Amino acid sequence: MNGMDITINATFLPHTDADASLAFYRDALGFELRKDVGYDGLRWLTVGPVDHPEMNIVLTPPAADPGITDDERRVIAEMMAKGTYGALMLASDDVDALFDHLQGTGAEVMQEPMDQPWGARDCAFRDPAGNTIRIQQLP
């Protein structure tokens, strides 16, 4: 099956406060809000970079799947509180300028820009739900 054109269209990250997550992804990162869907008291948001409609991040209520047990919900909540549940890698043509901008919005810094031993320059933030948002310098 070589030669097939497959892309990543969407990824999912949990949120614990839809409005706080929207402020981070739309107002701080500059993403656009594409969908805001409510159902049964829960809310799903789809956001993505303005010039890349093919890239979507769906911010979901954690553990909304009815097949998840109460024990699994508890573990997910514990992992989110520690920041070990969700992560996303973004890229920028100027990671240092983006870092300064995000830091200026009050976003929680996990790591200032640094050159990694494997050759990448990156920084990291925590979104309002505790997800790790790592941003890598484009070559």
Side-chain angles (χ1 to χ4, degrees), residues 96 99 103 109-116 121-124:
D96 293 281
F99 176 85
Q103 187 178 36
V109 175
M110 294 177 65
Q111 175 206 300
E112 294 188 7
M114 63 182 290
D115 295 322
Q116 299 291 351
R121 180 169 182 77
D122 67 2
C123 65

Side-chain angles (χ1 to χ4, degrees), residues 66-129:
I68 294 177
T69 67
D70 289 341
D71 284 343
E72 291 167 330
R73 280 188 181 85
R74 181 185 49 74
V75 169
I76 290 169
E78 289 172 359
M79 291 179 73
M80 287 179 68
K82 293 183 351 186
T84 58
Y85 186 70
L88 180 67
M89 175 74 84
L90 301 174
S92 171
D93 60 355
D94 191 342
V95 72
D96 293 281
L98 183 54
F99 176 85
D100 289 343
H101 168 74
L102 287 173
Q103 187 178 36
T105 68
E108 182 182 345
V109 175
M110 294 177 65
Q111 175 206 300
E112 294 188 7
M114 63 182 290
D115 295 322
Q116 299 291 351
W118 57 87
R121 180 169 182 77
D122 67 2
C123 65
F125 289 87
R126 193 175 312 279
D127 82 0

Side-chain angles (χ1 to χ4, degrees), residues 17-94:
D17 179 328
D19 291 326
S21 290
L22 184 58
F24 177 79
Y25 287 94
R26 183 191 59 198
D27 303 339
L29 277 174
F31 288 0
E32 64 183 1
L33 175 64
R34 296 179 179 153
K35 291 182 184 171
D36 187 342
V37 178
Y39 175 76
D40 200 22
L42 301 174
R43 198 166 160 205
W44 287 257
L45 304 171
T46 302
V47 297
V50 173
D51 295 332
H52 296 280
E54 74 284 5
M55 297 179 185
N56 298 284
I57 302 168
V58 183
L59 304 167
T60 67
D65 186 327
I68 294 177
T69 67
D70 289 341
D71 284 343
E72 291 167 330
R73 280 188 181 85
R74 181 185 49 74
V75 169
I76 290 169
E78 289 172 359
M79 291 179 73
M80 287 179 68
K82 293 183 351 186
T84 58
Y85 186 70
L88 180 67
M89 175 74 84
L90 301 174
S92 171
D93 60 355
D94 191 342

